[in-house]
C-alpha cells in the first residue's frame, strides 16, 4: 500500500466570479476553423464539475498506482461523497489509517481495491481492515 501522503485534500471555495469565457465552437485537433464561427458565453467549472457542493472535495494524487486510469501524480481529483459506491467506480478510501485512491471491485460479499498499474498489488478488504469508502472520484483536472 502507498504511504499516507497519497492524497492532499482541499474543499471548494465559493465562487466570486461569473466564470471564464467558453468558446463554443468545438476546438479542432485537425484543421483550424474560422475564428468568427464561435459564440461567446460564460462557464463556471464549479457548475460543470460539482453536483453536490456540500459533499464535494478536491484532492491531489500522490503516487503512480492509478496511472493506467489516467490519474497521474499531482492531478487534482474531484470527489463526491454523496455518490453511492459501486463496482468499477474509482474511489477514495480510508484503509488502515491511510487514504488511497483505487478502482472498486465488488463481487458477492467481497471487496478489492484494484490499482491501475501492474507494479502495485490488488488489495483484498477483510474484516480485519479498518476500511471506509470515503468518496467517489467524478473528475480529474490535469496540468499540461
Amino acid at each position: 500500500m502507498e504511504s499516507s501522503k497519497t492524497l492532499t485534500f482541499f474543499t471548494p471555495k465559493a465562487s466570486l466570479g461569473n466564470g471564464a469565457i467558453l468558446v463554443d465552437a468545438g476546438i479542432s485537433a485537425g484543421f483550424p476553423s474560422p475564428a468568427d464561427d464561435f459564440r461567446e458565453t460564460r462557464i463556471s467549472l464549479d457548475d460543470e464539475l460539482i453536483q453536490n457542493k456540500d459533499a464535494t472535495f478536491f484532492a491531489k494524487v500522490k503516487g503512480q498506482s492509478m496511472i493506467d486510469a489516467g490519474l497521474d501524480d499531482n492531478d487534482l481529483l474531484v470527489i463526491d461523497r454523496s455518490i453511492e459506491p459501486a463496482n468499477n467506480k474509482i474511489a477514495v478510501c480510508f484503509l488502515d489509517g491511510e487514504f488511497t485512491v483505487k478502482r472498486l471491485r465488488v463481487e458477492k460479499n467481497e471487496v478489492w481495491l484494484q490499482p491501475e498499474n501492474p507494479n502495485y498489488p490488488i488489495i483484498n478488504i477483510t474484516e480485519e481492515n479498518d476500511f471506509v469508502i470515503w468518496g467517489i472520484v467524478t473528475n480529474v483536472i490535469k496540468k499540461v
Side-chain angles (χ1 to χ4, degrees):
M1 188 169 61
E2 295 175 47
S3 74
S4 60
K5 300 269 187 226
T6 5
L7 299 170
T8 305
F9 289 93
F10 306 90
T11 54
K13 295 181 181 174
S15 177
L16 300 176
N18 293 329
I21 294 173
L22 169 68
V23 177
D24 191 12
I27 302 296
S28 174
F31 296 103
S33 65
D36 56 358
D37 286 348
F38 74 89
R39 33 169 226 199
E40 188 178 293
T41 57
R42 294 209 169 258
I43 185 171
S44 165
L45 289 182
D46 282 356
D47 293 341
E48 294 296 316
L49 301 178
I50 299 173
Q51 293 178 345
N52 184 345
K53 289 187 187 211
D54 293 332
T56 299
F57 295 83
F58 299 109
K60 279 196 175 180
V61 175
K62 298 292 180 206
Q64 302 292 318
S65 73
M66 294 298 287
I67 58 173
D68 290 343
L71 305 182
D72 298 309
D73 194 47
N74 283 322
D75 283 352
L76 187 63
L77 303 178
V78 181
I79 305 155
D80 190 331
R81 295 192 72 192
S82 69
I83 295 176
E84 192 70 29
N87 185 54
N88 210 35
K89 296 279 188 184
I90 295 177
V92 171
C93 302
F94 188 73
L95 176 62
D96 298 331
E98 298 180 357
F99 281 101
T100 189
V101 59
K102 300 286 184 280
R103 187 172 302 278
L104 293 175
R105 295 289 181 214
V106 181
E107 292 179 19
K108 299 177 185 170
N109 293 330
E110 292 191 278
V111 176
W112 291 273
L113 300 183
Q114 171 80 45
E116 296 284 344
N117 180 335
N119 297 323
Y120 291 81
I122 298 171
I123 301 167
N124 185 7
I125 303 301
T126 66
E127 290 181 6
E128 287 77 38
N129 292 114
D130 179 15
F131 176 70
V132 174
I133 298 173
W134 197 79
I136 300 299
V137 176
T138 59
N139 293 280
V140 60
I141 301 169
K142 298 179 162 295
K143 290 187 179 180
V144 292

